[in-house]
Amino acid sequence: MSTTTAKAATAKEAHIKEYLGTPTDLKADKVKAVAGGLSEVLADVFALYIKTKNFHWHMSGRHFRDYHLLLDEQSQQIFAMTDPMAERARKIGGTTLHSVGEIARKTKISDNDALYVTPEDMLAELREDNLTLTKRLRAVHAIASDAGDVATTSLIENWIDETERRTWFLFESTRPVFGHNE
C-alpha cells in the first residue's frame, strides 16, 4: 500500500469514527473484526431471504401448500435477523452493509435464477444454504467470543439455533423414505 493510499484509508477511518463511531469498551481491532463478520453474515442472510422468497413464490406440485407455507415461515424468520444483526454492528461502533452490490460481493449463498426448479431441489438447495449460514454464524461467534463481545455471541447462538431448525425442517421435508437418510 502506498503512503498516499495509507493516509487516505486512515483519514476515511477517522471520518467514519467521528460521525458513526459509537462508544464501546471493545478494542477497535475487535470491533472491526466483529462488525466485518456480522456484515458478511448479514449478506448471507439477505441472499438467503431473497432465495427463500423466490422458491416460495415459484413453488409448485402436490405438496404446494405445505412447502409454500414452510418457505413463507422460514423467509419471515430469516428477514427478522437482518435489523438486529445490522444494529448490533452499529451498537459496538462498527458499520454494516450499504448496498445490494456489497451484499453480492460478500455473500457465500449462490443465486438460483433458473426458470423452473423442482420442489425437492428447492428444499435441498435451501437446506445446504442454511448449513452454509450456520458455518458462517459459528465463525463470527468465535470472533465475537475472542473479542469478549457476549451480547453478539448471545444473539448469534439464537440465530444458529433458528438456522439449525430450518435445516432440520428442510432435511425432513426432502427425505425419500421414512427412517432413511441419504
Side-chain angles (χ1 to χ4, degrees):
M1 183 183 295
S2 72
T3 305
T4 305
T5 306
K7 285 181 183 178
T10 303
K12 179 181 167 187
E13 287 180 20
H15 184 78
I16 291 169
K17 183 172 175 62
E18 179 181 354
Y19 291 101
L20 297 176
T22 303
T24 182
D25 63 334
L26 298 174
K27 294 184 172 146
D29 62 326
K30 301 295 184 180
V31 167
K32 187 174 182 177
V34 172
L38 286 170
S39 288
E40 289 180 4
V41 148
L42 182 57
D44 290 337
V45 170
F46 273 119
L48 183 58
Y49 168 74
I50 294 296
K51 188 179 214 176
T52 304
K53 283 307 267 189
N54 169 30
F55 288 168
H56 160 80
W57 294 324
H58 295 99
M59 185 56 67
S60 64
R62 65 184 182 162
H63 298 293
F64 167 80
R65 185 175 192 285
D66 291 336
Y67 294 163
H68 184 77
L69 294 174
L70 173 68
L71 297 185
D72 194 38
E73 176 186 300
Q74 289 195 356
S75 67
Q76 289 172 20
Q77 185 182 70
I78 293 164
F79 187 75
M81 295 166 64
T82 61
D83 205 43
M85 197 172 287
E87 287 183 355
R88 185 66 205 149
R90 292 287 293 121
K91 285 178 191 176
I92 62 171
T95 59
T96 191
L97 298 174
H98 296 90
S99 67
V100 173
E102 190 172 3
I103 291 168
R105 287 187 300 276
K106 290 185 177 201
T107 189
K108 298 292 185 205
I109 305 296
S110 60
D111 280 339
N112 186 326
D113 296 330
L115 294 177
Y116 177 76
V117 180
T118 67
E120 296 78 15
D121 286 347
M122 287 179 183
L123 299 179
E125 191 170 328
L126 290 174
R127 181 189 67 231
E128 294 305 310
D129 290 338
N130 275 277
L131 283 170
T132 296
L133 180 59
T134 299
K135 289 177 191 169
R136 297 263 283 185
L137 285 164
R138 288 187 204 286
V140 178
H141 184 279
I143 293 167
S145 181
D146 178 62
D149 184 354
V150 295
T152 299
T153 60
S154 178
L155 288 168
I156 291 173
E157 288 163 3
N158 289 318
W159 295 327
I160 289 170
D161 184 57
E162 292 171 1
T163 305
E164 288 176 334
R165 183 174 193 269
R166 287 191 304 274
T167 303
W168 173 39
F169 275 54
L170 292 163
F171 167 73
E172 290 296 343
S173 297
T174 58
R175 288 174 74 165
V177 178
F178 294 113
H180 179 264
N181 292 328
E182 285 189 17

